């Protein structure tokens, strides 16, 4: 159906940015009624996930714990110094796929789509692709 | 092609529930021959994965280790007390996508589709969307 | 559009194998112009991810850290002795989905598609399914 790229500006080293309304706007612009949307992160030190959009403490706890599980420094060889960000990207995943019904994503009540910055702050891109049910 | 929602009842705080046969039944009911199926979890403290369906010890080991990597209590701020479940959901992922050929998923010999409960027991929903190859 | 299975030979217990060019070749053979590709791993002790294809130290760091987060031995019950591999497969994910535009995947500049071997060396399979935008 359609393919668009949006820009996402991050402001911290690690940060979750809610992009749900921007994905919804692309679906509306595409005219898609029934099918799915593929949201894709073309970077290697950031990812995409779906999680709670109500209490901001959830995002803070998630980042705190991910940063504890994968320490920023841990004897990594990669000279750029951001190996932890690469690992977190793979643990989170580089894309999310969501069903679309009657022009709306079937997100749960508390679900939001988050761009997961693990090596910011940076200017990032996200691809949004709709696929029609056929 | 089709979109249906199934209910999944979980019985423990953390638990993997095999939903493979229920996904297969939805594909058969949809009449899909070739394409893919998107299985989607609309919750934020549960996920979906694909893993071994032979020895139940694998699921037990996986839950034991995930619960060790992401402790239930770890100085989280979120007052609801289930931040660990949110983190495990993101680490696992909220959806799985599987090719369908000749009406059957191309699951490997030992693969099953698991609903991953991280904050149960609860009554949960899972969306199943088929997309035809066109 | 098309579905093909490729073979991947791994040479170590844990190893990331770049399969990007093989996925690109399947897309070209399929004639797909606009849509998406679903790359699927039918195993339970291996996964698929997208990460940096420039400095090989990134892959070494990622494997080192994953093997530290999920130790090979940790009191697992599964007698086959490879529970760590099952957990890493679920943490990494069993599939990747990538938009295709004008016959090419929209991979980022530094992105490669990696088969993630966690219980090798072995002969493995990967399914590649293209879905046309309709």
């Amino acid at each position: 159906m359609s393919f668009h790229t949006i820009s996402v500006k991050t402001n911290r080293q690690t940060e979750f940015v809610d992009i749900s309304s921007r994905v919804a706007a692309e679906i509306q612009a595409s005219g898609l009624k029934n099918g799915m949307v593929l949201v894709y992160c073309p970077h290697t030190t950031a990812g995409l996930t779906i999680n709670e959009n109500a209490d901001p403490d959830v995002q803070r706890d998630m980042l705190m714990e991910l940063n504890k599980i994968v320490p920023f420094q841990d004897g990594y060889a990669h000279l750029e110094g951001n190996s932890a960000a690469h690992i977190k990207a793979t643990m989170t995943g580089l894309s999310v796929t969501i069903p679309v019904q009657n022009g709306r994503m079937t997100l749960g009540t508390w679900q939001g789509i988050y761009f997961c910055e693990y090596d910011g702050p940076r200017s990032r891109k996200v691809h949004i692709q709709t696929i029609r049910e056929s």
Side-chain angles (χ1 to χ4, degrees), chain A:
Chain A
M1 290 285 299
S2 75
F3 174 86
H4 282 101
T5 303
I6 63 171
S7 295
V8 177
K9 181 82 187 66
T10 62
N11 298 300
R12 291 193 287 277
Q13 185 177 14
T14 62
E15 181 182 6
F16 284 2
V17 181
D18 188 339
I19 60 169
S20 311
S21 62
R22 302 182 66 186
V23 176
E26 293 293 338
I27 292 168
Q28 187 167 23
S30 78
L32 176 67
K33 292 305 172 204
N34 297 309
M36 56 171 269
V37 62
L38 165 59
V39 188
Y40 184 82
C41 168
H43 305 283
T44 60
T45 55
L48 287 163
T49 195
I50 292 165
N51 218 298
E52 178 173 322
N53 62 3
D55 179 2
D57 275 343
V58 171
Q59 299 155 44
R60 279 192 281 268
D61 285 346
M62 291 178 67
L63 284 171
M64 175 198 77
E65 194 66 13
L66 281 171
N67 292 340
K68 188 185 288 192
I69 294 167
V70 187
F72 288 103
Q73 305 300 331
D74 203 16
Y76 304 119
H78 182 45
L79 291 175
E80 211 185 333
N82 59 359
S83 281
H86 288 286
I87 298 158
K88 282 177 267 194
T90 278
M91 285 175 61
T92 307
L94 280 296
S95 69
V96 294
T97 46
I98 304 155
V100 174
Q101 288 295 300
N102 302 315
R104 296 170 64 96
M105 289 180 280
T106 66
L107 291 170
T109 311
W110 310 108
Q111 285 188 328
I113 305 169
Y114 287 90
F115 182 85
C116 308
E117 175 63 81
Y118 294 126
D119 193 35
R122 297 210 204 185
S123 290
R124 301 290 203 169
K125 301 285 184 196
V126 172
H127 301 317
I128 301 170
Q129 164 103 47
T130 58
I131 301 279
R132 197 184 308 187
E133 219 180 59
S134 65

